[in-house]
Amino acid sequence: MVHAAEVLSHVAALAQAADPPQASSVSTNLARAQTAFSLAFHICFAVFGVGMPWLLLFVEGRWVRTRDPVWLALTRKWSRAFAVMFAVGAVSGTALSFEFGLLWPAFMARYGGVLGLSFTLEGFAFFAEAIFIGMYLYGWKRLSARAHWLTLWPIAIAGTFSTLFIITANAWMNTPGHVTEVDGKVVSAEPFAPFLAATAPHQLIHMLLAALMCTGGIVAGVYAVGMLRGRRDAYHQRGLRVGLAVLLVCAPLQLIVGDWAARVVGNEQPIKLAAMEGLGHTRTHAPLTIGGIYDEQTGEVRHGIEVPDLLSLMQGLSADHEITGLTAVPPEERPNAVLVHSAFNVMVGLGMALIALSLVTGVVVLRRRRRGERPLLPTGRPWLWAAAASGPASMLAMLAGWEVTEGGRQPWIVYGRMRVDEAVTSSSGMPAIFTGTILLYLGLATALILILRRMATGGPELAATVGETSTTPDIPDARPAPASPDTPARVRGDGDGGDGPGTSAPTTPRTDPSSSEGDAR
Amino acid sequence: MTAADLLAVVMVIGLTAYALTGGADFGGGVWDLLARGRDAADQRRLVSAALGPVWEANHVWLIFVIVMMFSGFPAAFGIVGSTLEIPLICALAGIVLRGAAYVYRAYGAGAAGPDHWWGHVFAISSAITPVALGVCGAALATGDVTEGDALAPVTSAFGIVCGVFTLAVTAFLAAVYLCRDAASSPETEHLVPGFRRRALGGAVVSGLLAAALLPLLWSEAPVVAERFAERSVPFVVISALGGIASLVALWQHRFTAARITAGAAVAGVLWGWAAAQYPDLVVGRATVDSAAAPEANIVAMLIAVACGLVVLIPSLWMLFRLFANPEVKS
Ligand code: HDD
Ligand code: HEM
Ligand code: HEM
């Protein structure tokens, strides 16, 4: 706060220094910005495609077993939100695969084949996911409750596998190996090269945990906000509990995997590690620097907290371990350490905060259980505020993590093999394309937020109705005879896209899945 | 046949699947746009109901083809990416807007603007994408692509007619499919005559455009035209017979048969073009051989495709069986 202005002007100056104005650099920067923007946009939805099916498996599984309508209400609500986010994830993902060709033609032309197996398998994973999502979202009335629940398994597994496949592609860009090139042309590549990348295992596990944390955190956050507004029914409590449990279990694991990641990065991409830690000069007894701004002139971090020797200890288990500094490579081969160090701090800081929340909650839950108090989860206002913040915090940590991985690789698009400016398009249309993309995405995002907000406020009436319906909601177990697919329940319509495409539903705008169950009887 | 050839065949199969499923979805958007008369709302509802469960899956075929292209023939993808910018971006914008608008309409309940606005976005973007993809196809055949001239593909007469032809074909397919969907339930039976008329009209328009394309093919894409005359006659015959049979089947209200014949007509066109295009991917710039990734990678992809299909085909079959008859809410 004290030095905010100074820091800002400093950042601006450094950013300028990092981008010398060359003829092609405008195009490169716009292409980079567009890639970063569309990837960030995509990943914010993709994490729900990975995490949500696992949460749904749990809540719908509880419903199938207990027939408790609160579980059904949660399932219905989440599946509708999931439907919208999956669709946006799918279209933004399609946009990415076009953009690779449009923005990075030289990269694709040279390495497309290397990444072929990853992307092909990923294509199949998407395909399986999309097929079963069709069955899941539109099959409420055509499948038995159990069969409906079963369709979640392929969705969850395929989502997880698509992460596996896409991450191997990214990991290969970080640590490219098993490929032979002559004069800039790939002459032979082991088909499994991406799967053998040194960074693939930790990137994959780290990302899967991140996806679960983001999903859990956002779900918890939505219900925490509801409870802060006074809706403290079973529906909100359970929603909060499920989301928070996922988040808080994954948070400590994320630290372990993150530490592993940092060690691998130290070995494989020493310059990235230096940028993450803001280490200018190669040295032993390297300190761990928390916070602060990296200063390119001095190669030091200003305003940070230094823990002596710790970095050397963490990386090599000895204070004498030598850590490579940024100045080991010429300036044009250094990533933007201001950005990368800050992003790394944001990720680790938020990760630590979530771990702290996780520990404190764990202690409180155990104590309450011993004393036989209910509910187990503390529900005081500060707790709810913390839960509400945990979703955005996870998302921010996830995005910061990507900035570390991608920004720390700069100026390489494929580490040590191809530079970003060699890969970029030479199109003169970049400014127009970039502006159009941003406007399009912002428009879509705004509309989506409006829709999700409306969905999120559908809770209270729903919970009330659900509380009163003590019998099992009727979702016919058998497929209707083909000749008359329309039962009265459907004719009445519940405006619930989950049962079929919502046409401009003439029913209540505040859709309420459980009310149709009431109507149907 | 080399591994690269086989991969090219797989790509054409993927493209055919995309045309027959995703293509018809675009056509559905066209009929949403053109819905007229007293039961316009019912027509839109039928379109929407027919799309619902399958559109996500249908559009993955396109991703499949793109992935095959950039992994199997990376050099060709590089050329396409840097020369067909304008049509590709139009196709992309159409795909993004269409998918988003569809779910926003289905689930938005008016929270982000009236549903019918999203309906219009959905319909218009559905019409843009096939035109843009048709333009891309034409450019691959003419080889009329230069890095400096982004406008070339969209200003060529052949390209534009190809684009319009693609649009007409998707609309034709969609109308044929919708006839059967409408006929399958008493609640939607009243929509049958309208869609039947549209299907017949679509068939005639597509046929006329195809006839207009032939002379343009000879003047604009002589390389492909020559091979077309040599190799593609069987496919053209299939396509023409399919078209005529569709007219007959529609006339006789045999809608299931019409689906099959219409599919054959469309597939015939695609395969005829693909056969004439071979071995060029982008005429004059990249061939199957010159653009191919290293052999080992292509073989690995082919194995992956084979394994993937083992999972995919039963799943797709289940999906289409489960939703054979769309449910329409009135
Ligand atoms: C967390 C893992 C993850 C990562 C790192 C990425 N994606 Fe993604 N992607 C998914 C996780 C995912 C997903 C969860 O599987 C999605 C989200 C919604 C969906 O449709 O599947 C998806 C959808 C999706 C689709 C649409 C599939 C469909 O129609 O169903 C495409 C084409 C891509 N992605 C492509 C990419 C590319 C080219 C990426 C590389 C930069 C990428 N994704 C990063
Ligand atoms: C297989 C997966 C991925 C591939 C092939 C990939 C590819 C790329 C490419 C081509 C660029 C532009 C060149 C560059 O600036 O380095 C880039 C940059 C970037 N990507 Fe990735 N990416 C992948 C995954 C992701 C994901 C999922 C995210 C999450 C949001 C992400 C975040 C970023 C960011 C923030 C940048 C900009 C970095 C900077 O310029 O400072 N990447 N990536
Ligand atoms: C708690 C301490 C954490 C540490 C020590 C840590 C460490 C790291 C390191 C070293 C990387 C770079 C990996 C590479 O470039 O190969 C990374 C990347 C990343 N981090 Fe973290 N991280 C932590 C917490 C988190 C949290 C809480 C999240 C999100 C919820 C997160 C999400 C990510 C993501 C998405 C990436 C990029 C993709 C990947 O490598 O999988 N991290 N992290």
Side-chain angles (χ1 to χ4, degrees), chain A residues 108 113 142 427 444 490 503, chain B residues 45 71 85 104 322 325 327:
Chain A
M108 288 324 287
R142 298 189 177 211
S427 161
L444 291 181
R490 201 172 305 117
T503 45
Chain B
R45 235 168 265 153
S71 325
E85 257 179 326
Y104 287 4
L322 189 58
N325 299 299
E327 16 177 309

Side-chain angles (χ1 to χ4, degrees), chain B residues 22-218:
Chain B
D25 291 357
F26 290 122
V30 174
W31 296 124
D32 183 310
L33 189 64
L34 299 181
R36 287 283 178 283
R38 250 182 308 122
D39 41 40
D42 288 351
Q43 293 168 12
R44 295 207 165 97
R45 235 168 265 153
L46 180 71
V47 169
S48 177
L51 283 182
V54 292
W55 79 263
E56 299 261 16
N58 288 351
H59 106 145
V60 187
W61 286 113
L62 176 65
I63 296 168
F64 183 84
V65 173
I66 294 178
V67 166
M68 293 288 123
M69 175 127 183
F70 75 55
S71 325
F73 305 104
F77 193 66
I79 296 169
V80 168
S82 48
T83 55
L84 295 180
E85 257 179 326
I86 293 185
L88 284 180
I89 283 171
C90 294
L92 184 55
I95 290 170
V96 171
L97 277 172
R98 171 175 180 283
Y102 182 77
V103 284
Y104 287 4
R105 178 175 64 170
Y107 295 87
D115 289 340
H116 66 264
W117 290 4
W118 289 114
H120 290 319
V121 173
F122 163 74
I124 293 167
S125 50
S126 292
I128 292 173
T129 310
V131 176
L133 292 177
V135 169
C136 291
L140 298 183
T142 58
D144 209 359
V145 295
T146 41
E147 268 74 4
D149 188 3
L151 281 174
V154 282
T155 47
S156 110
F158 181 59
I160 293 169
V161 179
C162 256
V164 177
F165 173 65
T166 314
L167 180 68
V169 167
T170 61
F172 160 64
L173 269 184
V176 173
Y177 292 2
L178 287 166
C179 283
R180 220 212 86 177
D181 288 336
S184 72
S185 149
E187 308 211 355
T188 49
E189 253 174 350
H190 64 289
L191 300 174
V192 171
F195 281 116
R196 184 163 158 266
R197 236 178 308 134
R198 289 174 169 84
L200 291 168
V204 172
V205 172
S206 306
L208 290 177
L209 282 168
L213 266 178
L214 281 179
L216 282 172
L217 182 68
W218 254 266

Side-chain angles (χ1 to χ4, degrees), chain A residues 202-203 206 254-255 258 262 265 272 276 347 394 398 401-402 405:
Chain A
H202 74 253
Q203 276 199 268
H206 205 56
Q254 194 67 303
L255 177 65
V265 170
K272 182 192 270 187
M276 280 157 49
M347 168 174 65
S394 309
M398 187 266 299
W402 276 111
T405 302

